[in-house]
Amino acid sequence: MIATPTRPPLVRFVALVEQRLGLHYEEGQWSELVPLLAERSAACGVERYLEQLAAPSSQAEWKVLAERLTVGETYFLRHPTQLETLVDQVLPSFLRQTSTVRVLCAGCSTGEEPYSVALLARERGRVDSSRLRILGIDVNPRSIAHARRACYSPWSLRAVPSAMRQQWFQRTPEGFALQPQVRDQVIFEERNLLEEASAFWAPGSFHAILCRNVVLYFPQDVIRKIIARMSQALVPGGYLFMGPSETLRGISEDFELLRGGDAFYYRLKPPAPPGVSAPQAAPAATPTVAQRVAAPASTPPPAPDGLEGVLQLLEAERYTEAWALLESLPESSSPKALLLRAVLHLHAGRLSQAEQLGRQLVTASATEAPAYYLLGLCLEQGGDEAAARGRYSASVRAEPTFALAHLRAGSLARRAGDMVEARVALRMAVSLLPQEKPLHLSLFGGGFGRHGLMQVGLQELQACTEVP
Ligand SMILES: C[S@@+](CC[C@H](N)C(=O)[O-])C[C@H]1O[C@@H](n2cnc3c(N)ncnc32)[C@H](O)[C@@H]1O
């Protein structure tokens, strides 16, 4: 039997995780690390395990912990206006001065972000791809291995317009494989952003750095250190793109904030040296991917008050603000507020807290179906797809018109090779999506509207018809 660690070793473990991976856990979240610490220390005892973990030779164990603790949510063409600003304006401005431009995606997860840069550069034709170097780094070895395979699920491609998908991806039994010429343009490295300064961060190494939706899990002092390193590694006038929930306010004075369309991004001060023209902070004239796909604006104006505001912030992936607003509301213990809280826990990777709330909410008829759905997502994120299917089925039993639950159940059935069940569930999903409740779309649509989700459903359906 695995012994439950007591508080002192847990405190030490939390501190080590923050020190080595940057991941910060509030005291209220510590309990979710207990099962992991118990499991990993079972063989040698918790004291010994912690000693080993603190030693410089503990690299292998830290890889395991990185795989278990990091949150890798990502998809192609996420925050598209930022990506368009990068390939339409930022990179061409440097290419007038230099032969190659170098882009770093720091915290690239499974590769969708750096590949999106490569794809958009080709699509929009403002950057000669042979002069573009893209590097993706992440601390999670499994994510890096996936990135190198470059084969993706329809869910990862949910924001990719179908013409683009057809041109750049090939359908295989494993998923959508990115064309080799795009895949080979991106290099991936397993690397921890917190590693001691090295030649990797040498001055002038990159023209632009994307570090989006990564530091929101880090404490302020760690963010400061990482941003200082990035500021040093950028060329003069280099650019930094962060996620919509992330800000340099109170973190760094090295950058100025720019706005292009509905995207915010940063440029190193002082402004570009003479001869390097700064990009115009204006929306591109050509139709944008943001306009072509059913994605929300990446930085909407201030959200309204109340739970509606929380929902809007959630849809815009502004999780920190959503959390703060939710906590400030008087109705923060209503079933809808609890559901929102559970979804925000899930987005922050706090699976056990999301699960705990989900279990509480399945007992009330008003929240039974979405709560089962949420429990399914928690199990999927934890890697237990078979059990997740069970929760999606329970969700559908509680609310037979819940299109998203049919969709997830169908996708998982297809992945498990159960094509008959997959087809039935996916057909249901596609026929019910036009009437899906707005609340379900806001909570679980991953920031995408009916149209994007419909595309996913149709792709999944096609995939289970085509694959023998
Ligand atoms: C939510 S994903 C963001 C992916 C992508 N940038 C995007 O916006 O879609 C956060 C990624 O940061 C990575 N990460 C977390 N801590 C890290 C660290 N200390 N060093 C490098 N990568 C880290 C995680 O492994 C995860 O893949």
Side-chain angles (χ1 to χ4, degrees):
M1 205 183 87
I2 297 178
T4 304
T6 55
R7 190 176 160 90
L10 183 60
V11 174
R12 175 103 180 94
F13 185 56
V14 170
L16 282 169
V17 166
E18 181 166 322
Q19 193 189 328
R20 292 292 275 267
L21 298 177
L23 304 175
H24 174 70
Y25 287 80
E26 296 293 342
E27 192 166 347
Q29 304 164 346
W30 290 0
S31 58
E32 70 191 71
L33 291 174
V34 169
L36 179 64
L37 177 57
E39 179 201 316
R40 299 306 302 170
S41 62
C44 62
V46 74
E47 293 303 335
R48 180 101 199 278
Y49 176 73
L50 291 171
E51 261 170 47
Q52 287 169 358
L53 208 52
S57 56
S58 56
Q59 304 285 7
E61 182 59 16
W62 279 109
K63 284 176 197 259
V64 175
L65 294 180
E67 284 186 0
R68 299 282 291 270
L69 292 172
T70 52
V71 179
E73 167 61 9
T74 186
Y75 50 86
F76 278 91
L77 302 183
R78 188 178 197 181
H79 315 319
T81 317
Q82 278 191 337
L83 296 176
E84 287 166 351
T85 303
L86 175 72
V87 300
D88 286 351
Q89 299 173 40
V90 168
L91 300 182
S93 75
F94 286 116
L95 277 173
R96 282 179 222 122
Q97 301 298 312
T98 181
S99 56
T100 53
V101 276
R102 297 176 297 277
V103 176
L104 172 69
C105 289
C108 65
S109 188
T110 39
E112 286 88 332
E113 182 180 77
Y115 286 135
S116 296
V117 175
L119 279 175
L120 265 195
R122 285 168 190 259
E123 281 273 311
R124 297 181 67 88
R126 302 279 305 274
V127 177
D128 172 357
S129 285
S130 67
R131 296 170 65 194
L132 174 59
R133 307 277 180 271
I134 308 168
L135 173 63
I137 60 169
D138 201 283
V139 72
N140 184 330
R142 205 177 325 145
S143 296
I144 289 294
H146 184 163
R148 289 189 178 126
R149 276 198 307 279
C151 191
Y152 294 97
S153 69
W155 187 241
S156 273
L157 272 74
R158 62 196 185 267
V160 179
S162 54
M164 206 168 156
R165 208 176 47 240
Q166 271 159 23
Q167 183 172 2
W168 300 110
F169 294 86
Q170 193 187 355
R171 195 193 293 277
T172 71
E174 289 74 41
F176 288 86
L178 187 60
Q179 296 286 0
Q181 74 268 32
V182 185
R183 184 196 60 206
D184 296 344
Q185 198 184 343
V186 181
I187 290 172
F188 291 97
E189 267 181 33
E190 195 187 309
R191 184 175 286 280
N192 187 345
L193 286 171
L194 268 73
E195 259 166 31
E196 276 320 304
S198 69
F200 183 84
W201 300 106
S205 297
F206 306 104
H207 295 88
I209 297 179
L210 279 69
C211 185
R212 308 189 307 168
N213 312 299
V214 177
V215 301
L216 74 174
Y217 307 109
F218 295 171
Q220 296 282 95
D221 57 328
V222 173
I223 303 179
R224 243 176 238 120
K225 205 166 148 188
I226 289 174
I227 297 296
R229 201 169 278 174
M230 289 182 176
S231 146
Q232 164 202 293
L234 281 167
V235 299
Y239 290 78
L240 175 64
F241 292 79
M242 302 184 79
S245 284
E246 296 158 326
T247 172
L248 291 187
R249 210 176 310 128
I251 296 288
S252 172
E253 295 289 315
D254 293 350
F255 295 85
E256 60 184 326
L257 181 64
L258 299 180
R259 181 179 181 160
D262 59 12
F264 289 95
Y265 55 107
Y266 293 94
R267 180 172 55 191
L268 254 192
K269 295 184 219 165
V276 178
S277 55
Q280 296 303 302
T286 40
T288 64
V289 169
Q291 287 158 347
R292 283 187 282 139
V293 299
S298 24
T299 315
D305 290 340
L307 291 179
E308 241 354 89
V310 180
L311 271 173
Q312 280 192 19
L313 290 166
L314 177 69
E315 280 184 274
E317 302 187 55
R318 293 160 67 185
Y319 303 128
T320 316
E321 291 159 84
W323 186 264
L325 178 56
L326 181 60
E327 291 300 287
S328 72
L329 296 178
E331 70 266 43
S332 67
S333 56
S334 69
K336 191 171 167 187
L338 290 179
L339 198 52
L340 275 162
R341 175 166 301 146
V343 172
L344 287 169
H345 276 313
L346 180 70
H347 279 292
R350 299 187 291 267
L351 294 188
S352 61
Q353 272 141 309
E355 254 175 47
Q356 204 179 333
L357 280 173
R359 277 197 294 274
Q360 192 179 324
L361 289 163
V362 286
T363 58
S365 62
T367 48
E368 184 183 359
Y372 271 124
Y373 187 89
L374 176 103
L375 290 172
L377 292 176
C378 292
L379 286 160
E380 256 195 89
Q381 276 207 16
D384 190 347
E385 294 195 352
R389 269 175 80 182
R391 298 304 183 282
Y392 296 135
S393 302
S395 182
V396 163
R397 278 196 298 278
E399 190 173 332
T401 55
F402 192 168
L404 288 178
H406 286 289
L407 182 60
R408 290 308 309 143
S411 300
L412 291 191
R414 183 181 75 73
R415 287 231 285 265
D418 196 342
M419 295 305 179
V420 176
E421 191 178 324
R423 274 194 286 270
V424 172
L426 291 167
R427 284 203 189 105
M428 285 298 283
V430 168
S431 67
L432 290 169
L433 263 169
Q435 285 86 41
E436 181 61 295
K437 284 181 180 167
L439 177 65
H440 290 169
L441 293 174
S442 304
L443 286 173
F444 304 120
F448 290 83
R450 283 173 217 283
H451 175 72
L453 293 162
M454 191 68 120
Q455 296 291 323
V456 173
L458 290 169
Q459 286 162 29
E460 287 277 2
L461 199 50
Q462 205 180 341
C464 54
T465 316
E466 282 177 5
V467 177

